Amino acid sequence: MILQHRSVSAVLTVAAFALWTAVILAALAGPALSAALGLPDPTAPMSRSFDPPSRAHLLGTDHLGRDVAARMLVGNAALVVPPALVAAAASTVGVLLAVWSVTSRRACAIIRFIGDTILVVPPILIILATVTAVPEGYVAAAVAAFALSVPMSIRYFYPTVAQALGSGYVEYARVTGASWRTIAVWDIFPAVRRSLIADFSIRFVAVVFLIATASFLTGTSSGADSTWAAMVGAELGGVDLNPWAVVSPTLAIIILTACPALLLELRMGGKR
């Protein structure tokens, strides 16, 4: 049974990693892939609106008669690069502020007050404010996502950091005169390494959802700047004529967000 469970986990891990890699490549290298595959210009109408899939258009056409397959391969770096950068920054700042909170009561009170104040505001209000203030503003959405992510990262890291700082080897390092930089690199970081990976995965998914929601709420962006989320919002009106115009970008977003969580669960589960 144990061997069978491990083999299933291995298959799921390979499948999830392959799907996630394919979606990441489609988002980052989509224009090059589109050109290599000889797909039509994603900004030019090629046929009637919401034509079903055919040899000429593998996923049919959208509301303006543009090739859906070609549009799937452009404009989606905004759903990968900003979330990855924001997640990395939020996790890093979160663990640093968690260390500061544990070592200083005053800092702990201030950080908790600011964090709780931010978390009280419903995320949807921040999204709507961002979209209203800066239409198509992925930078503004990323900043808002960072502000929402840091307090959650601090709460996530606080118990682990508190346990690490209270351990005997950290106390010994402090007594022997080791600097905080040395303690952070050699004692604290190894203790929170797995937590950093887990937090990064969680923050990445959360930021993808935030930016995708902002893109969805902006409506029908035109041309090659549309994300998968914008495609979903734009093509809902013709889902009964060409469902693939909605299903394809929806599946891409699901794979982009679900696979990291699945990979993390399989990785952590295999080490229990």
Side-chain angles (χ1 to χ4, degrees):
M1 289 295 292
I2 295 176
L3 292 176
Q4 183 179 5
H5 174 72
R6 288 181 177 177
S7 63
V8 171
S9 297
V11 171
L12 288 176
T13 300
V14 172
F17 184 77
L19 286 173
W20 194 57
T21 301
V23 169
I24 294 293
L25 287 176
L28 297 181
L33 291 173
S34 180
L37 294 173
L39 295 178
D41 182 354
T43 65
M46 294 292 171
S47 183
R48 297 174 302 175
S49 299
F50 296 118
D51 267 355
S54 62
R55 287 188 177 181
H57 307 288
L58 297 178
L59 296 176
T61 60
D62 67 359
H63 67 291
L64 294 179
R66 298 171 296 188
D67 187 82
V68 172
R71 298 197 67 222
M72 284 286 295
L73 293 177
V74 292
N76 293 290
L79 292 179
V80 175
V81 178
L85 295 176
V86 170
S91 294
T92 302
V93 173
V95 73
L96 293 176
L97 291 180
V99 172
W100 192 21
S101 298
V102 174
T103 56
S104 171
R105 290 186 177 181
R106 179 176 296 182
C108 181
I110 295 173
I111 291 171
R112 281 185 177 274
F113 174 77
I114 296 175
D116 291 344
T117 301
I118 294 174
L119 293 177
V120 163
V121 181
I124 189 63
L125 293 182
I126 296 178
I127 296 173
L128 291 174
T130 302
V131 173
T132 302
V134 188
E136 300 287 349
Y138 296 119
V139 174
V143 172
F146 177 79
L148 285 168
S149 298
V150 169
M152 297 179 183
S153 291
I154 295 172
R155 288 178 174 272
Y156 182 80
F157 286 120
Y158 188 90
T160 305
V161 170
Q163 183 179 5
L165 289 176
S167 62
Y169 52 84
V170 172
E171 291 293 333
Y172 176 79
R174 294 178 64 182
V175 169
T176 56
S179 65
W180 274 110
R181 180 180 300 178
T182 301
I183 293 174
V185 172
W186 295 105
D187 298 314
I188 298 176
F189 176 73
V192 302
R193 182 175 53 190
R194 291 180 64 183
S195 297
L196 271 171
I197 296 173
D199 187 71
F200 172 81
S201 176
I202 295 169
R203 300 304 149 226
F204 175 78
V205 172
V207 178
V208 169
F209 275 127
L210 178 59
I211 294 180
T213 302
S215 181
F216 178 86
L217 293 175
T218 57
T220 58
S221 57
S222 60
D225 295 329
S226 298
T227 63
W228 291 320
M231 288 180 65
V232 174
E235 314 309 333
L236 280 175
V239 67
D240 55 331
L241 299 174
N242 181 23
W244 286 104
V246 175
V247 172
S248 299
T250 301
L251 287 176
I253 294 174
I254 291 174
I255 293 172
L256 180 64
T257 54
C259 284
L262 178 59
L263 288 169
L264 180 64
E265 176 62 26
L266 291 171
R267 177 182 174 82
M268 295 302 182
K271 292 186 176 182
R272 290 171 185 169

